[in-house]
Amino acid sequence: MAHAQLPVIPRRFGETMRRDSWWLQPAVVLALLSSFIVYATWAAFQGEHYTHGPYLSPFYSPELFGDSPHAWLGPKPGWWPAWLAFSPALLILPFPGLFRVTCYYYRGAYYKAFWADPPACAVGEPRRRYRGESSFPLIVQNIHRYFLYIALGFLLVLAYDVYQALWFSDSATGRAEFGIGVGTLVLAANLTMLTGYTLGCHSMRHIVGGYLDRLSRSPVRKRAYDCSSCLNRAHMRWAWMSLFSVAFADLYVRLCSMGIWSDWRIL
Ligand code: FES
């Protein structure tokens, strides 16, 4: 087969022959991810207004230690460092946070948006040497599969939170009665988005699909692989929708708890 040798032309940072608005996507990603990080960090350090009635903010779930009735193991533990303000979110938020940080989709997005490596396809980079993810520090991104196992556990906890959000305390008798509020729907929608995002993870397909280079001969696993692949095709969309839904669910519970918003009972 005939082939031509094309010279590799080194480009300066930002230099390109592209005429489209290649900078727009990384700029939007930078703005949205930065806003989420600022809000999530602020919310995690608040340590209050994370429950309202049967609702628990997903940023604080599972609440291992805390003062709310949702706490699994009681109030603030004695070993908590005195110099650090106590917040139940600080104990658990790093796990879903690192699951997202090491996600294959987000890596591609924030490598471009946060350190321009590269800023976009066919656009000059700020550095000449490519170290990739096969050497330190980015090799640690390969830990993603293990965070997936933890994220699956979080889905079960959030599903239990949605179940809890169906039981409201009767103001007269104090007994739990079945009901549905807008908050129930907000938490359920968030669970749906996070499930679509997590089950469409690239590593999920490897886990359910089989091993080595062939699909499992089990029809159940083959079906699971197909479902995960289907979700994976829209992984970017699930990633963004779940990012918005989890932030909105926290905001909803927070504003209801502060008395700024009222939770409407539908049933
Ligand atoms: Fe995105 Fe695993 S690749 S969550």
Side-chain angles (χ1 to χ4, degrees):
M1 182 189 298
H3 62 274
Q5 295 284 350
L6 295 175
V8 176
I9 305 167
R11 292 199 162 97
R12 291 192 312 274
F13 176 42
E15 186 182 345
T16 183
M17 295 176 74
R18 289 178 63 169
R19 294 283 168 256
D20 61 333
S21 305
W22 57 264
W23 48 269
L24 187 59
Q25 187 172 346
V28 171
V29 169
L30 179 70
L32 293 179
L33 283 184
S34 303
S35 307
F36 178 81
I37 291 167
V38 169
Y39 176 76
T41 307
W42 174 82
F45 275 95
Q46 294 311 296
E48 56 182 7
H49 297 302
Y50 57 87
T51 67
H52 179 69
Y55 308 147
L56 174 62
S57 159
F59 281 175
Y60 284 75
S61 182
E63 183 185 5
L64 298 179
F65 296 97
D67 297 327
S68 91
H70 298 274
W72 290 10
L73 304 172
K76 172 186 166 183
W79 47 260
W80 189 262
W83 51 266
L84 183 61
F86 177 69
S87 169
L90 300 181
L91 290 168
I92 52 106
L93 213 48
F95 297 102
L98 286 168
F99 177 57
R100 267 183 205 270
V101 166
T102 56
C103 162
Y104 291 87
Y105 163 68
Y106 279 115
R107 288 187 223 172
Y110 69 76
Y111 287 177
K112 290 184 180 74
F114 281 72
W115 56 81
D117 198 9
C121 293
V123 180
E125 302 181 45
R127 58 191 68 75
R128 295 194 180 280
R129 215 155 69 87
Y130 176 70
R131 290 166 60 97
E133 294 182 332
S134 56
S135 58
F136 190 79
L138 293 181
I139 196 170
V140 296
Q141 301 273 30
N142 291 311
I143 205 167
H144 182 64
R145 160 186 286 238
Y146 300 101
F147 281 109
L148 169 61
Y149 296 129
I150 299 173
L152 291 171
F154 271 76
L155 285 185
L156 296 179
V157 173
L158 293 176
Y160 180 67
D161 288 346
V162 173
Y163 172 75
Q164 292 276 70
L166 292 167
W167 298 97
F168 294 78
S169 174
D170 184 280
S171 51
T173 64
R175 286 220 306 267
E177 61 171 26
F178 179 81
I180 295 177
V182 173
T184 315
L185 301 183
V186 169
L187 294 184
N190 178 49
L191 175 65
T192 307
M193 300 302 164
L194 288 173
T195 304
Y197 171 60
T198 307
L199 298 188
C201 170
H202 295 277
S203 298
M204 189 75 196
R205 298 165 70 219
H206 298 156
I207 291 168
V208 298
Y211 70 104
L212 296 181
D213 58 352
R214 74 162 191 260
L215 271 177
S216 168
R217 296 200 179 94
S218 154
V220 175
R221 293 184 69 177
K222 172 74 171 60
R223 178 64 62 88
Y225 179 84
D226 290 342
C227 289
S228 182
S229 300
C230 179
L231 290 170
N232 183 263
R233 282 194 280 279
H235 194 53
M236 180 181 79
R237 241 172 287 150
W238 287 111
W240 284 109
M241 289 190 304
S242 60
L243 195 81
F244 291 132
S245 71
V246 76
F248 181 74
D250 177 83
L251 185 69
Y252 185 86
V253 173
R254 187 169 297 283
L255 293 183
C256 287
S257 165
M258 294 168 77
I260 297 173
W261 281 357
S262 302
D263 180 55
W264 286 357
R265 280 284 292 278
I266 298 166
L267 266 183

